[in-house]
Amino acid sequence: MGTNDPIGIFDSGVGGLTVLHQLLQLLPEENFVYFGDTARVPYGSKSRQTITHFSFQDVNFLLSQEVKMVVVACNSASSNSLSELKAKYEVPIFGVIEPTIASLSEEISKIGIIGTSATIESGSYQKMIKQKLGNKALLYEKACPLFVQLAEEGLSDSHIADTVIEHYLSKMKANSPQTLILGCTHYPLFINSLQRYFGDSVSLVNPALEVAREVHKYIHENGLENKNGRGDIRFYLSDVPRNFGSVSVNFLQREIEDITKIDIERY
Ligand code: DGL
């Protein structure tokens, strides 16, 4: 694998485009291969074993594209399968959880975490926060599965979103968290509505941004910059959903032109 090879990134579907978006902002001269497992999404309601099995296949596919590193954009995969992935492959693998925890200030103690059921039930964010902050950390966690559908319908900043936010998060709000971790690829689309709901004193932490910062740092510290890159992106999906074009614009903030469909079961 050479420095001019692309960076691989995978997600259960379209959500990882929020991570790709942040990577493109910080690393405009890198090339990327994006794989979205749209035929088997969602990962967030599946068991750890299934998520890990899918994640192995996703990484196998990316390695077949000769990527120089892998970014696990999916919070559900990062929280359930990252250690297995790191143990199996030699290529550098980045998940979203570690850099998110590293970004938390030592001064805070009341932290809300939202994500899919697979992410919240894995306890990964909770365990790593406790490791960093000790028992002074007070954690408020909530799976918000309807957010995924709302984001894909373009309704993340709407009165319907406000109602769903109230439904899931009123109890958390009553505990006055200082920080809220947006532990799902889709949740950065709710930044406006969540900030409105919790108020300006609550800081929202976006794992997509934190992992992009970590990859940026790693590339520069290790001299892995692509000297000939042009921000090329190759998109691969395991199915091309009917609404992929319109949905992806909201996540990536640009049009996706060429998509190649692959059979992920072959990997
Ligand atoms: N990408 C997933 C995550 O970040 C959300 C969608 C899914 O459930 O697969 O957890």
Side-chain angles (χ1 to χ4, degrees), residues 11-13 15-16 40-45 73-77 115-116 119 148 152 183-186:
D11 180 54
S12 55
R40 306 188 295 192
V41 68
Y43 283 13
S45 55
C74 181
N75 282 254
S76 302
T116 64
T119 295
V148 167
E152 294 192 9
C184 173
T185 48
H186 289 58

Side-chain angles (χ1 to χ4, degrees), residues 128-191:
M128 288 191 65
I129 295 172
K130 291 274 182 193
Q131 271 165 9
K132 175 168 173 154
L133 300 177
N135 284 335
K136 74 166 183 157
L138 299 174
L139 306 183
Y140 313 105
E141 59 213 30
K142 186 74 186 165
C144 305
L146 284 174
F147 281 14
V148 167
Q149 206 55 44
L150 283 174
E152 294 192 9
E153 290 289 329
L155 292 172
S156 52
D157 194 2
S158 67
H159 68 276
I160 302 175
D162 294 341
T163 306
V164 176
I165 288 171
E166 169 75 20
H167 166 74
Y168 283 133
L169 300 176
S170 58
K171 228 164 127 191
M172 182 187 289
K173 187 181 177 187
N175 284 309
S176 308
Q178 298 157 295
T179 290
L180 178 66
I181 297 175
L182 311 180
C184 173
T185 48
H186 289 58
Y187 296 3
L189 275 75
F190 290 84
I191 282 178

Side-chain angles (χ1 to χ4, degrees), residues 27-40:
L27 294 162
E29 268 133 41
E30 293 296 325
N31 296 332
F32 295 89
V33 176
Y34 182 92
F35 173 64
D37 197 1
T38 37
R40 306 188 295 192

